[in-house]
DNA sequence: CCATAGATGCACT
DNA sequence: GTGCATCTATGGA
Protein backbone atom coordinates (compact mmCIF):
# COMPACT_ATOMS: atom_id res chain seq x y z
CA UNK A 1 0.00 0.00 0.00
CA UNK A 2 1.31 3.39 -0.99
CA UNK A 3 0.12 6.72 0.22
CA UNK A 4 0.50 10.05 -1.53
CA UNK A 5 3.39 10.91 0.79
CA UNK A 6 5.40 7.82 -0.17
CA UNK A 7 8.10 8.92 -2.57
CA UNK A 8 11.17 7.18 -3.87
CA UNK A 9 14.09 9.56 -3.39
CA UNK A 10 17.32 8.75 -5.16
CA UNK A 11 20.45 10.65 -4.19
CA UNK A 12 23.12 11.24 -6.76
CA UNK A 13 26.58 12.76 -6.72
CA UNK A 14 26.39 16.15 -8.41
CA UNK A 15 28.25 17.01 -11.61
CA UNK A 16 30.72 19.93 -11.50
CA UNK A 17 28.27 22.05 -13.52
CA UNK A 18 25.82 21.88 -10.61
CA UNK A 19 27.91 24.46 -8.74
CA UNK A 20 28.49 26.87 -11.62
CA UNK A 21 25.98 29.64 -11.04
CA UNK A 22 24.47 32.15 -8.67
CA UNK A 23 25.14 31.76 -4.94
CA UNK A 24 21.59 32.52 -3.84
CA UNK A 25 20.12 29.91 -6.16
CA UNK A 26 22.74 27.36 -5.12
CA UNK A 27 22.25 28.06 -1.41
CA UNK A 28 18.57 27.24 -1.82
CA UNK A 29 19.26 24.19 -3.99
CA UNK A 30 21.64 22.73 -1.39
CA UNK A 31 18.96 22.52 1.31
CA UNK A 32 18.09 18.83 1.50
CA UNK A 33 21.33 17.75 -0.16
CA UNK A 34 23.79 15.48 1.62
CA UNK A 35 27.26 16.77 2.53
CA UNK A 36 29.94 14.16 3.19
CA UNK A 37 33.53 14.91 4.22
CA UNK A 38 35.79 11.85 4.34
CA UNK A 39 32.85 9.60 5.16
CA UNK A 40 31.33 11.91 7.78
CA UNK A 41 28.33 14.12 7.15
CA UNK A 42 24.58 14.39 6.82
CA UNK A 43 21.59 16.29 5.51
CA UNK A 44 22.19 19.97 4.72
CA UNK A 45 19.62 21.97 6.71
CA UNK A 46 21.05 25.51 6.65
CA UNK A 47 23.07 27.57 4.15
CA UNK A 48 23.92 31.17 3.33
CA UNK A 49 24.81 32.85 0.03
CA UNK A 50 27.70 35.29 -0.38
CA UNK A 51 28.08 37.20 -3.62
CA UNK A 52 30.92 39.16 -5.17
CA UNK A 53 29.27 42.58 -5.03
CA UNK A 54 28.19 42.06 -1.42
CA UNK A 55 29.75 44.02 1.44
CA UNK A 56 29.23 41.07 3.80
CA UNK A 57 31.26 38.74 1.57
CA UNK A 58 34.95 38.03 2.01
CA UNK A 59 35.26 38.53 -1.75
CA UNK A 60 33.82 42.05 -1.78
CA UNK A 61 37.20 43.79 -1.84
CA UNK A 62 38.74 41.60 -4.50
CA UNK A 63 41.10 38.66 -4.46
CA UNK A 64 43.54 38.24 -1.56
CA UNK A 65 45.62 35.36 -0.23
CA UNK A 66 42.86 34.42 2.18
CA UNK A 67 39.92 34.42 -0.22
CA UNK A 68 41.82 33.11 -3.24
CA UNK A 69 39.60 30.01 -3.51
CA UNK A 70 36.49 32.17 -3.95
CA UNK A 71 37.97 33.33 -7.25
CA UNK A 72 38.94 29.85 -8.35
CA UNK A 73 36.86 27.25 -10.20
CA UNK A 74 33.28 26.43 -9.13
CA UNK A 75 32.72 23.30 -7.07
CA UNK A 76 35.79 23.77 -4.91
CA UNK A 77 35.91 24.47 -1.17
CA UNK A 78 36.58 27.87 0.33
CA UNK A 79 37.65 27.34 3.95
CA UNK A 80 38.35 30.25 6.26
CA UNK A 81 39.32 30.71 9.90
CA UNK A 82 36.54 32.38 11.87
CA UNK A 83 37.27 34.45 14.96
CA UNK A 84 40.67 32.82 15.17
CA UNK A 85 39.15 29.57 16.35
CA UNK A 86 36.78 27.91 13.91
CA UNK A 87 37.10 26.52 10.41
CA UNK A 88 34.11 27.28 8.20
CA UNK A 89 33.29 25.49 4.94
CA UNK A 90 31.92 27.03 1.75
CA UNK A 91 31.48 25.74 -1.77
CA UNK A 92 32.47 28.16 -4.52
CA UNK A 93 30.02 28.78 -7.35
CA UNK A 94 30.21 31.75 -9.72
CA UNK A 95 33.40 33.81 -9.61
CA UNK A 96 33.68 35.57 -6.26
CA UNK A 97 30.57 33.81 -4.96
CA UNK A 98 30.17 30.98 -2.47
CA UNK A 99 27.67 29.18 -0.27
CA UNK A 100 28.43 28.76 3.44
CA UNK A 101 27.34 25.46 5.01
CA UNK A 102 25.85 26.57 8.34
CA UNK A 103 24.25 23.39 9.67
CA UNK A 104 23.65 19.74 8.86
CA UNK A 105 21.65 16.96 10.45
CA UNK A 106 24.28 14.41 11.53
CA UNK A 107 23.85 11.17 9.63
CA UNK A 108 27.14 9.46 8.77
CA UNK A 109 30.02 9.13 11.23
CA UNK A 110 28.16 10.50 14.20
CA UNK A 111 30.61 8.82 16.59
CA UNK A 112 33.53 10.59 14.92
CA UNK A 113 31.65 13.88 15.19
CA UNK A 114 31.09 13.39 18.90
CA UNK A 115 34.77 12.64 19.46
CA UNK A 116 35.84 15.76 17.56
CA UNK A 117 33.25 17.98 19.22
CA UNK A 118 33.77 16.54 22.66
CA UNK A 119 30.44 16.35 24.43
CA UNK A 120 27.38 17.51 22.58
CA UNK A 121 23.85 16.36 22.21
CA UNK A 122 22.84 15.51 18.66
CA UNK A 123 20.99 18.76 17.98
CA UNK A 124 24.09 20.83 18.69
CA UNK A 125 26.71 18.69 16.95
CA UNK A 126 26.59 20.51 13.60
CA UNK A 127 24.29 23.48 14.33
CA UNK A 128 26.46 26.39 13.24
CA UNK A 129 29.31 26.82 10.76
CA UNK A 130 32.07 26.51 13.37
CA UNK A 131 30.53 23.44 14.96
CA UNK A 132 29.98 21.86 11.55
CA UNK A 133 33.59 22.49 10.58
CA UNK A 134 34.87 20.91 13.77
CA UNK A 135 32.53 17.90 13.55
CA UNK A 136 33.56 17.23 9.95
CA UNK A 137 37.27 17.70 10.62
CA UNK A 138 37.60 20.68 8.26
CA UNK A 139 40.84 22.62 8.29
CA UNK A 140 43.19 24.74 6.17
CA UNK A 141 44.14 21.74 4.03
CA UNK A 142 40.59 21.57 2.63
CA UNK A 143 40.76 25.11 1.23
CA UNK A 144 40.60 24.94 -2.57
CA UNK A 145 39.91 21.20 -2.70
CA UNK A 146 37.26 19.98 -5.17
CA UNK A 147 33.86 18.54 -4.33
CA UNK A 148 34.62 15.72 -6.74
CA UNK A 149 33.18 12.74 -4.86
CA UNK A 150 36.43 11.82 -3.11
CA UNK A 151 37.14 13.62 0.18
CA UNK A 152 34.38 16.14 -0.39
CA UNK A 153 30.97 15.05 -1.70
CA UNK A 154 27.60 16.59 -2.36
CA UNK A 155 24.65 14.36 -3.21
CA UNK A 156 21.29 15.79 -4.22
CA UNK A 157 17.89 14.15 -3.90
CA UNK A 158 15.83 13.35 -6.98
CA UNK A 159 12.93 15.21 -5.42
CA UNK A 160 12.47 17.70 -2.59
CA UNK A 161 9.02 18.17 -1.16
CA UNK A 162 10.10 19.85 2.09
CA UNK A 163 9.42 23.52 2.73
CA UNK A 164 12.41 25.84 2.70
CA UNK A 165 12.75 28.73 5.14
CA UNK A 166 14.26 32.06 4.04
CA UNK A 167 15.65 34.88 6.15
CA UNK A 168 18.49 37.35 6.71
CA UNK A 169 22.04 36.08 7.21
CA UNK A 170 23.53 35.59 10.67
CA UNK A 171 26.39 37.43 12.35
CA UNK A 172 26.93 40.19 9.80
CA UNK A 173 26.30 43.92 9.87
CA UNK A 174 26.72 44.87 6.20
CA UNK A 175 23.91 43.92 3.81
CA UNK A 176 22.22 42.45 6.86
CA UNK A 177 18.70 42.71 5.45
CA UNK A 178 19.16 40.54 2.37
CA UNK A 179 17.21 37.25 2.69
CA UNK A 180 20.11 35.03 1.71
CA UNK A 181 19.91 32.44 4.50
CA UNK A 182 18.01 29.21 3.81
CA UNK A 183 16.83 26.44 6.11
CA UNK A 184 14.92 23.19 6.14
CA UNK A 185 11.53 23.77 7.73
CA UNK A 186 11.04 21.97 11.03
CA UNK A 187 14.62 20.83 11.45
CA UNK A 188 15.87 20.67 15.05
CA UNK A 189 19.45 21.05 13.78
CA UNK A 190 19.38 24.71 12.71
CA UNK A 191 21.93 27.10 14.21
CA UNK A 192 19.13 29.53 15.02
CA UNK A 193 15.44 29.94 14.45
CA UNK A 194 14.07 31.72 11.41
CA UNK A 195 11.85 34.74 12.09
C1' DC B 1 14.47 31.84 28.01
C1' DC B 2 18.15 36.18 27.14
C1' DA B 3 22.64 38.90 27.64
C1' DT B 4 27.40 39.20 27.85
C1' DA B 5 32.48 38.33 28.12
C1' DG B 6 36.40 35.88 26.68
C1' DA B 7 39.02 32.99 23.67
C1' DT B 8 41.69 33.27 19.57
C1' DG B 9 44.19 34.00 14.23
C1' DC B 10 44.87 36.99 10.94
C1' DA B 11 43.79 40.44 7.19
C1' DC B 12 43.51 44.99 6.94
C1' DT B 13 43.82 50.20 8.49
C1' DG C 1 45.30 48.51 16.83
C1' DT C 2 40.45 46.98 14.94
C1' DG C 3 37.08 43.89 13.34
C1' DC C 4 35.27 39.88 12.32
C1' DA C 5 30.32 34.89 7.84
C1' DT C 6 31.62 32.00 16.09
C1' DC C 7 31.07 29.31 20.22
C1' DT C 8 31.04 28.48 25.14
C1' DA C 9 30.43 29.35 30.01
C1' DT C 10 28.17 31.86 33.17
C1' DG C 11 24.69 34.69 35.39
C1' DG C 12 19.98 36.62 35.67
C1' DA C 13 14.81 36.78 34.72
Amino acid sequence: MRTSSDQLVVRSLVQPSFFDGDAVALARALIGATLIVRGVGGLVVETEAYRHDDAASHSSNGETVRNRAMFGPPGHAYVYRSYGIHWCLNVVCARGQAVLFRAIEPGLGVDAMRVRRGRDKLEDLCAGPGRLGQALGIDRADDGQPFDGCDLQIHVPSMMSQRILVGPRIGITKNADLPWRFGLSGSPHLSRRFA
Side-chain angles (χ1 to χ4, degrees):
Chain A
M1 181 69 183
R2 278 183 166 266
T3 71
S4 59
S5 61
D6 283 340
Q7 290 173 341
L8 178 61
V9 176
V10 177
R11 287 177 182 273
S12 54
L13 188 69
V14 297
Q15 297 300 121
S17 61
F18 177 82
F19 300 105
D20 192 2
D22 173 70
V24 177
L26 182 63
R28 173 183 274 277
L30 284 172
I31 299 299
T34 301
L35 168 66
I36 302 174
V37 177
R38 290 177 282 277
V40 177
L43 188 73
V44 177
V45 299
E46 185 179 339
T47 59
E48 281 178 356
Y50 288 88
R51 283 185 174 162
H52 193 174
D53 183 15
D54 169 12
S57 173
H58 292 167
S59 62
S60 66
N61 286 321
E63 185 173 346
T64 64
V65 175
R66 178 210 208 191
N67 66 22
R68 192 183 109 271
M70 282 190 80
F71 294 89
H76 289 235
Y78 165 51
V79 173
Y80 70 94
R81 185 81 116 151
S82 174
Y83 290 87
I85 302 168
H86 308 103
W87 294 107
C88 298
L89 175 66
N90 296 253
V91 60
V92 176
C93 41
R95 180 173 172 78
Q97 302 192 33
V99 173
L100 172 67
F101 292 103
R102 286 195 55 92
I104 65 172
E105 173 183 325
L108 288 169
V110 177
D111 292 342
M113 294 186 193
R114 288 194 198 279
V115 169
R116 289 169 179 154
R117 290 276 301 135
R119 75 189 99 98
D120 274 318
K121 59 178 194 271
L122 193 63
E123 291 77 21
D124 290 339
L125 264 190
C126 299
R131 291 168 170 176
L132 184 157
Q134 185 180 27
L136 267 46
I138 296 295
D139 69 15
R140 179 191 311 281
D142 295 307
D143 189 38
Q145 294 303 121
F147 281 80
D148 60 359
C150 297
D151 277 8
L152 307 179
Q153 304 181 3
I154 294 286
H155 302 257
V156 290
S158 57
M159 52 178 59
M160 246 294 285
S161 53
Q162 298 254 34
R163 279 195 73 77
I164 295 178
L165 305 169
V166 184
R169 294 174 292 182
I170 303 291
I172 58 169
T173 55
K174 299 163 188 168
N175 274 346
D177 293 335
L178 297 173
W180 288 359
R181 175 184 178 226
F182 300 92
L184 189 65
S185 181
S187 174
H189 302 277
L190 300 174
S191 69
R192 284 171 53 170
R193 291 255 135 83
F194 281 76

